[in-house]
Amino acid sequence: MELSCRRPRCQVEMIKDKLLEHEDECEFRTVPCPNTTCKKKILFKQLEAHFKIVHQNKCFKVEKLLVQAEIYEARFGTKLEPNIDYDLRVWENNKVQFYPQCVKRNGVWYVWVKIKGGPSLASQWKFSAKAENETTGYSMEFTGSVHPVDLETDRLMETDDLLKMSNKNEVKLGNAGRIWIKFKVFK
C-alpha cells in the first residue's frame, strides 16, 4: 500500500519504508536557514531564493574553502569578542552546495560544514578544517562529518563533530589580528 508524503504540497506517494527516506530529503521539508544569524525556517526548495532576497549582501559564493576570521589580539589589551557570527559562504562542488561555517559563542569557536541536502547526502561526505598560524607553526585541525542543512546551529554545537577552539587557541592562532581557516570536503 502506498502512502502520501506528510509534507504539505508534496505529491509523492510510495511504500512506507521508502517514504521515510523520502521525507528526510523532501524538497518541501522545512529547514533552518544556514546563515547562523537568521532564525527563519524555510522550505528546502526555497533556500536559493531566501539567500537572494533576505541575505543578498551577507551570502557569498566562494571559489575556495577558506574563511578569514578577524580577532582582537590580547597583547593590545583589547577584549576578545565573546560572540561572533560570520557571513554565510556557499561553495559548490559538482553541483553540490556546501556551507563552511564559523561562529563564536561564549568565547568558544565552533567550525563545521553543512551541505545543501538531508542526512542521506550528508553521510556521503567528510570535511577537514585547519586553523594555522604560519609564523609560529601553531595549528589545530579537525576531520569529521559534513552536516545536513536540517541540523540547527545550537544542536550542531552540542555535538563533537566540529572543530572547537578556546580563547587561548584564538590568541595562539592569531596572526596580525586574523585567523585563517582552511576547509576541505571529500568523500
Side-chain angles (χ1 to χ4, degrees):
M1 176 180 185
E2 292 193 340
L3 302 172
S4 298
C5 178
R6 62 184 166 91
R7 312 278 184 205
R9 292 185 255 167
C10 184
Q11 303 297 313
V12 169
E13 291 184 355
M14 55 182 55
I15 63 171
K16 186 177 180 179
D17 291 345
K18 298 284 185 194
L19 188 60
L20 295 175
E21 286 178 38
H22 162 79
E23 288 179 345
D24 281 347
E25 306 284 333
C26 181
E27 66 181 34
F28 291 98
R29 73 189 186 279
T30 303
V31 298
C33 175
N35 186 326
T36 58
T37 60
C38 182
K39 303 300 179 198
K40 292 187 179 180
K41 297 244 183 187
I42 49 183
L43 288 180
F44 177 81
K45 71 179 276 167
Q46 295 177 339
L47 277 172
E48 295 291 322
H50 175 78
F51 294 161
K52 287 178 185 170
I53 295 166
V54 177
H55 303 297
Q56 58 191 3
N57 296 324
K58 297 196 185 248
C59 176
F60 304 97
K61 288 205 172 198
V62 294
E63 299 296 318
K64 294 181 181 178
L65 283 172
L66 182 67
V67 174
Q68 173 187 333
E70 296 283 343
I71 66 166
Y72 300 96
E73 298 268 7
R75 68 173 182 259
F76 299 124
T78 310
K79 184 180 177 191
L80 298 173
E81 293 291 322
N83 298 309
I84 300 172
D85 287 89
Y86 283 90
D87 294 332
L88 180 64
R89 306 291 197 269
V90 180
W91 180 73
E92 195 166 295
N93 180 12
N94 295 321
K95 299 187 180 186
V96 178
Q97 287 186 351
F98 296 91
Y99 312 117
Q101 299 183 290
C102 300
V103 299
K104 186 177 181 186
R105 297 289 186 271
N106 300 316
V108 178
W109 286 88
Y110 298 88
V111 179
W112 67 87
V113 175
K114 282 188 176 181
I115 192 170
K116 184 181 178 187
S120 179
L121 183 60
S123 70
Q124 299 172 33
W125 294 89
K126 299 277 186 205
F127 83 98
S128 69
K130 183 176 184 179
E132 181 175 22
N133 182 325
E134 292 179 354
T135 303
T136 65
Y138 183 78
S139 68
M140 292 183 72
E141 189 167 6
F142 174 83
T143 299
S145 300
V146 168
H147 301 280
V149 71
D150 308 70
L151 191 56
E152 294 176 350
T153 299
D154 291 340
R155 286 189 47 220
L156 197 151
M157 291 188 320
E158 293 171 0
T159 74
D160 288 327
D161 215 4
L162 44 75
L163 174 63
K164 292 180 188 177
M165 298 182 288
S166 68
N167 274 337
K168 288 180 183 179
N169 300 130
E170 179 178 1
V171 171
K172 289 179 182 177
L173 287 163
N175 189 355
R178 293 185 177 94
I179 296 174
W180 289 96
I181 302 171
K182 298 174 185 173
F183 293 87
K184 291 181 185 175
V185 175
F186 52 93
K187 284 192 173 192

